[in-house]
Amino acid sequence: MICYTVSDGCMTPLAPPPETMTQPASATFSSNSTNSHEFHQRQPLLQESRNNDGWDDSGNSSSGHFKMSKQTERNGSIVRIKLPPVGRSGSGESILSSFPEERIKTIVAAGWLTFNFVLSTVSLALTHERVPDPKKANALPDIILDHVTPHEWALTVSEVLLTVSSCITFFIMIVHKHRWIVFRRVFFILGWLYLMRSFTMYVTVLPVASRQYALNVCAPKANNTSPFVIAKRALQLMSGFGLSMNGQHVYCGDYMYSGHTVVLVASYLIIAEYSPKKCIILHWMSLVNSVLGVVMLLISRGHYTVDVVVAYYVTTRLWW
């Protein structure tokens, strides 16, 4: 027997407290469980770090790795977690502002856009042979074109505005901090737009909207769709970037849907999204430029109204 006290030279065991002797074992277990449960309920959800690594109260990181340090604050039963600020802090970059460039994916997206742009020129080269004869087929009724006097110069104005908008868009993309990500997204979306346009213009061929344009600009049909003829037409269209003011867009039938409207709308969306938010004047100028370009396109009878509406809808749906 183990003794705990010595009295008169004789060792006697230490008696347990009276309450311990009288309390049942089950009651002791229940009380301990309740106390343990209340103890854990009062603890914070995230424990504070006891070392000096990680983020301090000012948001600075001493090791470049994110570790919790004084990140929790008790407010009754609510725990608030402080996040490090976006931007550069200390010796490293914030975890919220570092994104992988993934340049290989951007190059693949550029190839995707190039392939579909070439496909759209091939589709137009084939569609040109199926366009109804402007001497026999009249233009389709259009609620806007029927009340507007056509002007050929308006198409040149529209393409000049398109070129200016495209140059500003390219500049904003190239100077953007995450340019590789921006280019990848734009290439991917435009690739899909050109792919869908390649099918829509070919499956349903609309008559030329302007008889004067058909007689003065549209090249005569070759009645031959050999690979050599199609390749020659496609190269001619690509050399002029699909614009009529370069004198290379002499093949007709690319109506559904408007490629001019796609570029104008996409340019505005890119400028509004990726330029600084404080550049309100630039955003409004881009919006006015795009709207004016579409209006000039309709005045020139370069497209039907439905071509413009569908182009706007498809472009905005893919973007948002």
Side-chain angles (χ1 to χ4, degrees), residues 6-11:
V6 179
S7 176
D8 298 331
C10 180
M11 301 178 67

Side-chain angles (χ1 to χ4, degrees), residues 16-78:
E19 58 273 12
T20 306
M21 297 175 61
T22 58
Q23 187 176 10
S26 59
T28 303
F29 177 77
S30 176
S31 176
N32 292 337
S33 300
T34 302
N35 294 336
S36 176
H37 178 71
E38 293 179 355
F39 173 78
H40 288 294
Q41 285 292 330
R42 292 192 178 100
Q43 300 308 305
L45 297 181
L46 297 175
Q47 297 182 356
E48 297 182 0
S49 176
R50 297 176 180 240
N51 53 28
N52 294 326
D53 295 334
W55 299 91
D56 55 17
D57 290 336
S58 62
N60 295 327
S61 174
S62 59
S63 62
H65 300 282
F66 180 75
K67 294 182 180 180
M68 298 304 302
S69 175
K70 301 182 181 180
Q71 295 294 302
T72 59
E73 291 186 5
R74 293 291 299 177
N75 184 13
S77 60
I78 300 176

Side-chain angles (χ1 to χ4, degrees), residues 20-208:
T20 306
M21 297 175 61
T22 58
Q23 187 176 10
S26 59
T28 303
F29 177 77
S30 176
S31 176
N32 292 337
S33 300
T34 302
N35 294 336
S36 176
H37 178 71
E38 293 179 355
F39 173 78
H40 288 294
Q41 285 292 330
R42 292 192 178 100
Q43 300 308 305
L45 297 181
L46 297 175
Q47 297 182 356
E48 297 182 0
S49 176
R50 297 176 180 240
N51 53 28
N52 294 326
D53 295 334
W55 299 91
D56 55 17
D57 290 336
S58 62
N60 295 327
S61 174
S62 59
S63 62
H65 300 282
F66 180 75
K67 294 182 180 180
M68 298 304 302
S69 175
K70 301 182 181 180
Q71 295 294 302
T72 59
E73 291 186 5
R74 293 291 299 177
N75 184 13
S77 60
I78 300 176
V79 176
R80 184 179 63 175
I81 302 176
K82 294 182 178 179
L83 295 178
V86 178
R88 297 187 178 275
S89 60
S91 58
E93 192 174 359
S94 172
I95 59 174
L96 300 181
S97 62
S98 59
F99 300 97
E101 294 182 345
E102 297 180 316
R103 300 186 180 185
I104 300 299
K105 291 184 179 180
T106 305
I107 296 175
V108 173
W112 163 258
L113 172 60
T114 303
F115 171 79
N116 289 297
F117 176 73
V118 174
L119 182 63
S120 66
T121 59
V122 172
S123 178
L124 177 56
L126 293 170
T127 302
H128 179 74
E129 294 294 326
R130 303 175 57 234
V131 175
D133 189 353
K135 297 180 180 180
K136 300 179 181 180
N138 296 324
L140 297 177
D142 191 289
I143 192 63
I144 294 181
L145 300 187
D146 292 345
H147 296 84
V148 174
T149 303
H151 298 280
E152 291 186 1
W153 55 265
L155 181 59
T156 303
V157 174
S158 176
E159 292 182 344
V160 169
L161 295 175
L162 183 150
T163 303
V164 172
S165 182
S166 299
C167 292
I168 296 175
T169 302
F170 180 79
F171 175 77
I172 291 177
M173 292 170 61
I174 201 68
V175 299
H176 196 275
K177 178 181 180 181
H178 303 293
R179 62 184 65 88
W180 290 95
I181 300 176
V182 175
F183 273 111
R184 182 164 64 250
R185 182 191 184 194
V186 173
F187 290 162
F188 185 74
I189 293 177
L190 291 180
W192 275 109
L193 292 171
Y194 276 113
L195 176 63
M196 292 187 292
R197 186 170 182 264
S198 302
F199 286 101
T200 55
M201 78 167 71
Y202 182 78
V203 295
T204 303
V205 182
L206 304 180
V208 181

Side-chain angles (χ1 to χ4, degrees), residues 200-276:
T200 55
M201 78 167 71
Y202 182 78
V203 295
T204 303
V205 182
L206 304 180
V208 181
S210 174
R211 183 186 296 270
Q212 185 177 5
Y213 182 86
L215 297 177
N216 298 336
V217 179
C218 293
K221 298 181 180 180
N223 297 322
N224 181 14
T225 56
S226 64
F228 176 78
V229 173
I230 299 304
K232 181 180 179 181
R233 290 179 177 179
L235 290 175
Q236 182 176 356
L237 291 169
M238 286 186 290
S239 65
F241 296 98
L243 301 178
S244 299
M245 65 179 183
N246 296 326
Q248 305 299 325
H249 196 286
V250 295
Y251 304 108
C252 300
D254 57 335
Y255 284 105
M256 183 62 67
Y257 42 86
S258 171
H260 289 69
T261 304
V262 165
V263 176
L264 288 169
V265 173
S267 298
Y268 166 72
L269 293 175
I270 296 170
I271 293 174
E273 179 73 18
Y274 295 114
S275 62

